[in-house]
């Protein structure tokens, strides 16, 4: 596949998010051209770099159809060449799964969003240099729209709403159809020309219903099924009179024209539904148990109505032909015949009314309902689904394209709150969280996060009634969320590099991942990895990401790694370092350590171009503390040898022993002649923890004589734990002629655990003849687990130890201890792996 074909294929996949045009579609040139002109005008700048065009209008007037028509327009698709994203919100949207769907449509299937804000920021980065149209349909609350207002200069958002006040938007108020357009719509539905008499009656009817497209389709559907225009008009007028007499909307302040249109539309609904058989009317009513704006899949309908798939397909198709349902998109590219449907929210309101309406209405002419409560209806639907599970385990539910996204919603509506908590706790056969695994297997982990948020809210609401249970649940959910956050921000740096290098991830996708990483050093290291792959168009987004790094030293380092590939940024790097405030320690447990400005200069010195060295030296001399100046000059001496003498002079003036040791260690790595001075400085450090860190930092450079001298420092350290840590740090580098001395020191330890830990390390490095003495030293160990630690290390040097280790393994008290010991032994003895697996 060529690059062009691949891009076209991706665009096609994204553009499929928009619903298809209705089967009976009438051009409305004036609104189409007006809104299209706004979409294609690239010079507008609203909401920063994002243009928002809002289409306003009452229900049933055709807002969504107009948006869909524009999304299918060739010129619009050429303008937004990277695709068209579509989401329908409704009154109570689940925003996180909708954002996740957009992210996946853009090709990022690895991102697992854990919060709406993070997902929105991720989208913003993915769309930064894209040209995409973002359609947000049926917005009721402006706050719900905000996470979708993402994108760069090439993006635009198109919003449809009845009356929500969208800030900073180009407003377009959609009016009703003209008489000619209304007549054309009804003629298309009927598929035949009207006689002059029928034409006039159709126009009279269109005028009576206010030229609303939904009402016109319902009427034409009845005529298509044998009703005459005259009878339809007469029945319609009678129904409107009945509704006005009931005055069902008297409690709502509504303008007369709006009330007239409402009664007209309701009358059309009632007349259409009255022609259904009781069984079909019941099936329509059951649609009211579903949330609004959800896909009505054929598999879901079989469960909802408890009918075979073929009957569900036929009924959905019939409801569509009667204009009760709209066509959705194909459920899968492999089987385009398996389409789903969607329901206009006005139709959905009516089905909900029928669901709970009385079976025997008090008012004549009122449609009979099912007489259910919402709670009982939801419980019945859950029962239908539970019969499809294995051993009542919800995570075993087959995927029908619906239930995984709305199971906990139905549980809440059914009042089965404990079922939600049980769902999120249940494990699958592998011992993992069953519901998370089920959602993740579908490629929709955001559904699990949405359910987790629902469970958290419900637990909080129940706090007064059950405080202890609530705290337990909240603690568990907090740990789950923390675990998911950790999974989302701890990718190995080499993996990130490989993903982008081999084009499995785009640079924008990698940058979006980095924006979720809170730890400054890791974030800076990620920037260093991604910098070579960034295009110039992504540079501003990368700079914004760096600006969010909280640690100023790492921020300047990340900017320097970016400047390696974009040299024009070097002045910005130095300006960033100038702004670093003195007084921030970089050494743990020491409040007066080196300063961040010096540390920043140290980290970027190897990267600096020659023409920036003078400015960097000037910044180094402006550092307030002697330690900071010495650190900076020592680092810069790599590039400017003349600074070495200045650095040495400054070091001699440093009074703080830890600071002096740190700078000397840096100098010793550059100039081995200073190793003795560095070692002497370490000797005078009184803090044992700092002394260990300092020794470990230069152990690779120490000559044999200094290594031997370092052992003498161990005897002056107070506390076995610190002594053990010091020896552990030195052992890998000690020459073999010192190992007997180390062995003698270890035998002087009082705690078996400390002895065993050191003996195990020593056994990996010591001469073979010393291994026998180590084995003899383990005989007095009382703790078998401690003894096994040394035997496992010895088993790779002394084969005869293996049988002894196996004998002691069988004497361990717990199965998991045996399994762990066998697993460690099997690394050196592959023949033990079957036994290790059996015990595990």
């Amino acid at each position: 596949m060529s690059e062009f074909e691949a891009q076209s294929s991706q665009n096609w996949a994204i553009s499929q998010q928009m619903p298809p045009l209705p089967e009976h579609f009438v051009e409305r040139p004036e609104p189409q051209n007006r809104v299209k002109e706004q979409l294609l005008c690239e010079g507008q700048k609203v909401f920063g770099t994002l243009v928002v065009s809002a289409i306003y209008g009452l229900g049933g007037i055709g807002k969504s159809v107009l948006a869909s028509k524009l999304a299918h327009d060739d010129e619009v698709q050429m303008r937004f060449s990277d695709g068209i994203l579509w989401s329908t919100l409704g009154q109570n949207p689940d925003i996180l799964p909708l954002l996740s769907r957009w992210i996946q449509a853009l090709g990022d299937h690895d991102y697992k969003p854990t919060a709406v804000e993070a997902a929105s920021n991720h989208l913003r980065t993915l769309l930064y240099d894209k040209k995409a149209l973002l359609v947000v349909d049926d917005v009721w609350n402006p706050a719900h729209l905000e996470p979708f207002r993402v994108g760069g200069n090439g993006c635009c958002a198109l919003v449809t709403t009845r009356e929500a006040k969208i800030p900073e938007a180009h407003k377009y108020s959609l009016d009703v159809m003209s008489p000619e357009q209304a007549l054309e719509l009804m003629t298309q539905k009927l598929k035949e020309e009207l006689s002059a008499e029928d034409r006039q009656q159709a126009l009279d009817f269109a005028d009576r219903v206010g030229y609303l497209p939904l009402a016109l389709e319902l009427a034409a559907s009845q005529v298509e099924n044998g009703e005459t225009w005259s009878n339809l008009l007469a029945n319609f007028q009678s129904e409107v009179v009945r509704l006005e007499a009931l005055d069902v909307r008297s409690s709502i302040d509504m303008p007369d024209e709006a009330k007239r249109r409402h009664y007209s539309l309701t009358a059309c609904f009632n007349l259409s539904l009255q022609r259904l058989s009781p069984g079909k009317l019941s099936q329509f009513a059951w649609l009211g148990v579903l949330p609004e704006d959800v896909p009505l899949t054929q598999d879901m309908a079989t469960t909802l109505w408890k009918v075979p798939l073929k009957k569900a397909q036929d009924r959905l198709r019939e409801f569509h032909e009667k204009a009760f349902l709209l066509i959705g998109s194909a459920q899968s590219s492999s089987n385009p015949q398996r389409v789903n449907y969607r329901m206009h929210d006005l139709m959905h309101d009516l089905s909900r009314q029928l669901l709970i309406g009385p079976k025997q209405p008090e008012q004549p002419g009122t449609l009979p309902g099912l007489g259910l409560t919402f709670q009982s209806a939801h419980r019945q639907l859950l029962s239908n689904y539970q019969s499809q599970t294995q051993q009542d385990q919800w995570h075993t539910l087959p995927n029908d394209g619906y239930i995984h996204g709305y199971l906990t919603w139905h549980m809440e509506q059914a009042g089965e709150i404990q079922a939600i908590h049980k769902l999120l706790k249940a494990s699958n056969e592998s011992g993992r969280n069953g519901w998370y695994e089920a959602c993740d297997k579908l490629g929709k982990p955001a559904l699990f996060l949405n359910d987790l948020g629902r469970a958290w809210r419900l637990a909080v609401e129940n706090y007064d009634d059950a405080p202890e249970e609530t705290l337990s649940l909240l603690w568990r959910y907090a740990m789950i969320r923390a675990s998911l956050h950790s999974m989302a921000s701890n990718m190995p740096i080499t993996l990130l590099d490989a993903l982008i290098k081999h084009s499995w991830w785009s640079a924008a996708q990698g940058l979006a991942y980095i924006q979720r990483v809170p730890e400054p050093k890791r974030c800076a290291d990620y920037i260093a990895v991604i910098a070579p792959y960034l295009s110039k168009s992504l540079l501003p987004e990368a700079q914004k990401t760096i600006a969010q790094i909280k640690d100023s030293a790492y921020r300047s380092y990340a900017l320097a790694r970016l400047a390696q590939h974009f040299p024009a940024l070097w002045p910005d790097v130095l300006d960033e370092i100038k702004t670093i405030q003195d007084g921030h320690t970089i050494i743990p447990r020491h409040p007066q350590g080196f300063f961040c400005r010096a540390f920043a200069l140290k980290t970027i010195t190897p990267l600096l171009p020659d023409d920036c060295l003078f400015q960097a030296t000037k910044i180094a001399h402006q550092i307030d503390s002697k330690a900071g100046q010495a650190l900076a000059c020592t680092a810069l001496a790599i590039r400017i040898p003349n600074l070495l003498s200045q650095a040495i002079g400054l070091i001699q003036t440093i009074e703080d022993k830890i600071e002096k040791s740190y700078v000397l260690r840096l100098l010793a790595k550059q100039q081995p002649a200073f190793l003795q001075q560095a070692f002497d400085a370490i000797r005078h450090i009184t803090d044992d923890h700092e002394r260990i860190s300092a020794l470990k930092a230069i152990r690779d450079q120490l000559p044999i004589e200094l290594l031997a001298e370092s052992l003498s420092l161990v005897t002056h350290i107070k506390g076995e734990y610190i002594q053990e840590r010091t020896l552990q740090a030195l052992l890998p580098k000690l020459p073999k002629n010192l190992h007997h001395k180390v062995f003698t020191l270890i035998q002087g330890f009082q705690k078996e655990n400390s002895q065993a830990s050191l003996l195990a390390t020593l056994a990996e490095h010591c001469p073979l003849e010393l291994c026998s003495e180590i084995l003899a030293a383990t005989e007095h160990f009382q703790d078998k687990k401690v003894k096994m630690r040394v035997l496992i290390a010895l088993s790779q040097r002394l084969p005869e130890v293996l049988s002894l280790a196996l004998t002691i393994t069988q004497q361990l008290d717990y199965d998991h201890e045996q399994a762990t010991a066998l697993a460690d032994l099997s690394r050196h003895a592959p023949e033990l792996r079957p036994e290790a697996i059996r015990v595990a």
Side-chain angles (χ1 to χ4, degrees):
M1 182 183 291
S2 69
E3 183 178 351
F4 174 78
E5 290 172 330
Q7 183 65 41
S8 299
S9 174
Q10 185 184 32
N11 291 344
W12 179 85
I14 294 175
S15 67
Q16 291 308 105
Q17 284 207 331
M18 58 197 176
L21 286 171
E23 182 181 355
H24 311 295
F25 174 75
V26 174
E27 297 281 351
R28 300 170 73 176
E30 196 278 334
Q32 288 169 199
N33 292 336
R34 286 279 302 278
V35 180
K36 178 179 173 181
E37 181 181 351
Q38 291 183 340
L39 292 178
L40 299 182
C41 183
E42 298 190 44
Q44 301 177 78
K45 290 287 187 296
V46 180
F47 188 63
T49 58
L50 184 64
V51 177
V52 180
S53 297
I55 303 173
Y56 291 77
L58 61 110
I61 203 170
K63 303 181 297 298
S64 300
V65 174
L66 174 57
S68 182
K69 168 60 180 174
L70 291 166
H72 284 87
D73 185 272
D74 291 340
E75 288 185 76
V76 172
Q77 292 189 3
M78 287 179 63
R79 161 70 174 83
F80 302 104
S81 54
D82 287 310
I84 296 170
L85 302 171
W86 184 294
S87 279
T88 302
L89 301 191
Q91 296 187 56
N92 300 292
D94 285 334
I95 293 177
L96 187 60
L98 295 174
L99 293 173
S100 179
R101 183 167 173 258
W102 279 18
I103 291 169
Q104 292 191 5
L106 290 168
D108 189 346
H109 296 277
D110 299 296
Y111 176 59
K112 302 181 187 301
T114 57
V116 168
E117 183 179 2
S120 182
N121 290 335
H122 192 83
L123 262 175
R124 180 174 285 105
T125 301
L126 292 180
L127 289 167
Y128 183 81
D129 59 349
K130 302 291 185 186
K131 293 183 177 181
L133 177 62
L134 318 177
V135 184
V136 189
D137 184 32
D138 197 23
V139 175
W140 286 71
N141 186 335
H144 295 161
L145 171 65
E146 289 311 305
F148 299 89
R149 290 172 68 141
V150 292
N153 287 322
C155 293
C156 177
L158 177 63
V159 181
T160 74
T161 178
R162 291 194 195 179
E163 54 186 21
K165 306 302 181 184
I166 309 301
E168 299 176 307
H170 293 277
K171 179 179 178 180
Y172 181 83
S173 297
L174 182 63
D175 204 350
V176 295
M177 284 182 159
S178 67
E180 293 75 15
Q181 291 167 348
L183 190 62
E184 182 182 351
L185 178 62
M186 290 186 288
T187 303
Q188 280 189 23
K189 175 70 175 173
L190 293 171
K191 301 182 179 64
E192 61 181 19
E193 290 295 325
L194 298 177
S195 66
E197 181 180 359
D198 287 346
R199 179 184 175 89
Q200 186 56 52
Q201 289 178 330
L203 284 172
D204 291 344
F205 183 87
D207 178 64
R208 287 286 295 158
V209 299
Y211 302 103
L212 293 174
L214 182 56
L216 298 174
E217 278 213 71
L218 288 168
S221 178
Q222 291 190 59
V223 173
E224 187 180 28
N225 289 320
E227 184 68 276
T228 65
W229 282 106
S230 57
N231 284 343
L232 177 62
L233 187 56
N235 292 337
F236 169 77
Q237 290 172 335
S238 298
E239 182 65 13
V240 169
V241 169
R242 187 184 72 83
L243 292 172
E244 289 176 339
L246 293 174
D247 198 18
V248 293
R249 304 282 290 197
S250 61
S251 61
I252 300 177
D253 185 16
M254 179 184 290
D256 290 342
E257 181 62 22
K259 185 177 289 189
R260 182 181 74 84
R261 285 176 174 166
H262 169 77
Y263 286 148
S264 298
L265 199 54
T266 304
C268 288
F269 290 164
N270 291 346
L271 292 176
S272 297
L273 292 172
Q274 285 171 4
R275 299 174 67 89
L276 294 177
S277 66
K280 294 177 182 178
L281 184 62
S282 173
Q283 289 175 329
F284 176 83
W286 267 107
L287 294 174
V289 78
L290 307 174
E292 62 177 350
D293 298 316
V294 297
L296 307 179
T297 70
Q298 299 170 22
D299 294 307
M300 178 271 289
T302 64
T303 304
L304 177 68
W305 294 330
K306 300 181 71 171
V307 297
L309 179 62
K310 181 64 169 60
K311 283 192 175 182
Q313 292 172 333
D314 292 343
R315 188 69 67 243
L316 288 169
R317 189 180 303 112
E318 180 182 350
F319 283 174
H320 166 61
E321 292 170 353
K322 293 182 180 297
F324 298 156
L325 299 178
L326 304 169
I327 285 287
S329 56
Q331 283 184 231
S332 71
S333 57
S334 61
N335 190 355
Q337 299 303 317
R338 298 290 292 275
V339 298
N340 61 41
Y341 296 83
R342 53 197 176 95
M343 200 174 194
H344 195 284
D345 52 3
L346 295 177
M347 279 292 182
H348 183 261
D349 291 344
L350 184 56
S351 65
R352 285 174 61 86
Q353 294 173 21
L354 291 173
L355 185 70
I356 61 172
K359 293 182 178 180
Q360 302 294 331
E362 296 180 2
Q363 299 294 333
T366 301
L367 291 167
L370 299 185
L372 299 171
T373 64
F374 283 128
Q375 190 174 80
S376 64
H378 286 283
R379 286 180 176 174
Q380 185 168 327
L381 179 61
L382 288 172
S383 177
N384 294 353
Y385 270 109
Q386 194 161 31
S387 65
Q388 301 175 21
T389 64
Q390 301 172 21
Q391 299 178 340
D392 289 339
Q393 295 295 312
W394 285 110
H395 59 260
T396 64
L397 270 173
N399 176 29
D400 66 357
Y402 169 80
I403 190 58
H404 285 81
Y406 299 97
L407 177 60
T408 60
W409 182 82
H410 284 295
M411 287 177 171
E412 180 182 1
Q413 302 302 312
E416 298 183 1
I417 309 305
Q418 289 303 317
I420 297 176
H421 299 313
K422 184 178 178 181
L423 168 75
L424 299 181
K425 185 178 181 180
S427 300
N428 57 18
E429 293 180 353
S430 303
R432 299 170 66 86
N433 188 290
W435 192 240
Y436 175 80
E437 292 283 303
C439 295
D440 192 46
K441 186 177 180 180
L442 296 177
K444 299 178 179 180
L447 298 179
F448 178 84
L449 268 296
N450 207 54
D451 293 338
L452 192 66
R454 188 188 310 278
W456 179 283
R457 172 178 56 80
L458 293 170
V460 170
E461 291 174 358
N462 192 48
Y463 177 79
D464 290 339
D465 295 331
E468 292 184 3
E469 178 187 355
T470 297
L471 289 175
S472 176
L473 286 170
L474 294 181
W475 173 255
R476 183 173 184 276
Y477 294 150
M479 294 300 292
I480 291 175
R481 183 174 289 276
S483 175
L484 293 172
H485 274 295
S486 177
M487 289 168 56
S489 60
N490 283 301
M491 179 188 297
I493 291 173
T494 52
L495 177 58
L496 178 64
D497 184 35
L499 287 171
I500 301 176
K501 180 179 180 180
H502 297 289
S503 300
W504 293 321
W505 276 17
S506 66
Q509 191 173 341
L511 191 58
Y513 171 84
I514 294 171
Q515 291 174 336
R516 308 184 340 251
V517 178
E519 203 272 312
K521 183 180 185 304
R522 181 173 287 271
C523 189
D525 289 339
Y526 283 151
I527 290 290
V529 165
I530 199 176
Y533 306 103
L534 291 174
S535 63
K536 192 172 182 179
S537 62
L538 277 175
L539 184 57
E541 190 67 15
Q543 290 175 277
K544 185 166 63 177
T545 304
I546 292 172
Q548 294 171 355
I549 298 177
K550 295 180 179 179
D551 185 284
S552 52
Y554 287 116
R555 189 165 59 245
S556 60
Y557 168 71
L559 195 57
R561 295 306 298 262
L562 198 60
Q564 282 185 282
H565 306 279
F566 300 95
L569 293 178
W570 278 115
D572 294 339
V573 176
L574 295 174
D575 287 343
E576 176 70 36
I577 293 176
K578 288 179 187 177
T579 66
I580 297 176
Q581 297 296 312
D582 287 340
H584 293 83
T585 180
I586 62 166
I587 294 186
R589 298 181 300 278
H590 195 273
Q592 303 298 326
F594 302 117
F595 300 100
C596 281
R597 193 185 308 179
F599 184 62
L601 280 172
K602 171 183 175 296
T603 56
I604 72 163
T605 292
L607 312 176
L608 279 171
D610 291 342
D611 57 359
C612 291
L613 288 173
F614 174 77
Q615 183 66 22
T617 304
K618 187 177 178 181
I619 295 173
H621 288 141
Q622 293 171 349
I623 297 175
D624 293 336
S625 74
K626 297 298 183 183
Q629 286 187 39
L631 173 63
C633 289
T634 301
L636 284 165
I638 300 174
R639 304 289 304 280
I640 310 175
N642 292 339
L643 286 179
L644 184 59
S645 59
Q646 291 185 38
I648 294 171
L650 287 166
I651 291 172
Q652 303 307 320
T653 66
I654 301 174
E655 296 181 0
D656 186 283
K657 293 181 177 61
I658 296 178
E659 292 180 351
K660 189 171 185 176
S661 167
Y662 186 89
V663 182
L664 278 169
R665 290 188 334 249
L666 175 64
L667 184 59
K669 288 183 179 180
Q670 298 173 211
Q671 303 286 334
F674 288 91
L675 274 170
Q676 182 66 56
Q677 290 188 42
F679 188 82
D680 291 340
I682 292 171
R683 189 198 307 275
H684 290 94
I685 296 176
T686 56
D687 185 295
D688 289 333
H689 292 278
E690 294 295 346
R691 188 185 299 170
I692 293 172
S693 298
L695 276 174
K696 194 172 182 179
I698 64 168
R699 68 180 180 185
D700 293 344
Q701 284 80 37
L702 288 176
I704 293 178
E705 60 271 16
L706 290 183
L707 282 170
E709 192 174 347
S710 67
L711 277 181
S712 65
L713 295 179
V714 177
T715 59
H716 296 92
I717 294 175
K718 296 178 180 179
E720 282 192 6
Y721 174 70
I722 304 298
Q723 288 179 320
E724 178 193 340
R725 284 190 57 200
T726 307
L727 284 174
Q728 289 283 13
L730 292 172
L731 260 174
K733 294 298 177 180
L734 289 176
K736 295 186 184 301
N737 62 350
L738 294 177
H739 284 181
H740 276 87
K741 184 176 182 180
V742 173
F743 180 63
T744 303
L745 283 173
I746 293 173
Q747 288 183 307
F749 280 56
Q750 298 299 313
K751 296 180 180 178
E752 285 188 3
N753 197 48
S754 297
Q755 283 192 44
S757 178
L758 287 166
L759 288 174
T761 304
L762 182 61
E764 295 176 8
H765 300 90
C766 70
L768 190 60
E769 61 270 17
L770 186 56
C771 288
S772 298
E773 295 185 50
I774 294 174
L775 178 61
T778 64
E779 292 181 359
H780 70 277
F781 286 167
Q782 301 297 314
D783 190 324
K784 296 183 179 65
K785 289 187 297 181
V786 169
K787 190 172 185 175
M788 277 301 302
R789 188 183 310 171
V790 185
L791 294 179
I792 289 169
L794 286 169
S795 66
Q796 57 183 318
R797 306 289 305 279
L798 300 174
E800 62 271 21
V801 172
L802 190 59
S803 59
L804 175 61
L806 282 173
T807 300
I808 296 179
T809 297
Q810 294 169 351
Q811 297 172 2
L812 294 174
D813 295 331
Y814 300 102
D815 287 345
H816 75 273
E817 293 175 352
Q818 291 185 29
T820 301
L822 279 170
D824 291 336
L825 282 170
S826 66
R827 293 192 184 98
H828 314 303
E831 65 271 17
L832 294 180
R833 288 173 187 167
E835 176 65 11
I837 293 172
R838 185 193 67 77
V839 175

